Amino acid sequence: GQCSRLLPPRLGSLHVLRGSGTDVGTVLAFRCSAEHQLEGAGVLSCVWNGSSTQWTAGVPSCKPISKYETFGFKVAVIASVVSCAVILLMSMAFLTCCLIKCVKKSERRRTQREMQLWYQLRTEELEHMQAAYFGFKGRNNNNNNKKLRNTSVFVREAFQVSHCAGWSWCSC
């Protein structure tokens, strides 16, 4: 139960993976040298076929790879690496822009809240100063409270006009 001895292909090599190299059950692997391509089965086995032994396929051959094929492959690999780098760079730029926009929006909201609080405190302070100045503080009759409210609105509007002059971000 043996198959015929096989020789490695020209410009290639033969490796016995299992068995003696000719016994039934032997498995052979073929490889080609650099810049050559294997044509045919890369792995052959010695098997019984009825009353005789045979290899599962014929001996493969090694054909040279053209310079254009290797050059094209190299160009394709380089193009793939460059495109991956560009995609990564653009993704990082997009994420950075999104983060900056988010931070600016948060800062703008914080500034608006501070301005609203400052304006509210300033308005209350002016109302108290106005009430003390005009002598309305401590009186409880309804006519005086109406005067206080009307005067308070006048002072608040005057403050807004004088305070917001020249400030483009102020939404008074």
Side-chain angles (χ1 to χ4, degrees), residues 102-122 169 171:
C102 182
V103 168
K104 283 183 178 180
K105 190 174 185 179
S106 175
E107 182 68 23
R108 196 175 10 212
R109 285 181 181 164
R110 186 183 63 79
T111 303
Q112 286 175 348
R113 283 194 302 265
E114 287 176 357
M115 288 301 298
Q116 286 173 349
L117 179 62
W118 182 84
Y119 175 74
Q120 183 181 1
L121 291 173
R122 191 74 174 153
W169 49 266
S171 59

Side-chain angles (χ1 to χ4, degrees), residues 126-127 130-131 134 136 142-159:
L126 281 174
E127 286 177 357
Q130 172 195 9
F134 289 116
F136 294 128
N142 288 336
N143 291 336
N144 285 340
N145 285 339
K146 282 184 187 177
K147 285 181 186 177
L148 175 62
R149 276 188 294 241
N150 291 341
T151 307
S152 168
V153 168
F154 172 76
V155 170
R156 189 179 316 131
E157 288 175 358
F159 171 74

Side-chain angles (χ1 to χ4, degrees), residues 62-75:
C62 293
K63 302 271 178 161
I65 299 173
S66 75
K67 298 289 182 191
Y68 298 111
E69 289 182 42
T70 58
F71 177 74
F73 178 74
K74 290 175 185 175
V75 168

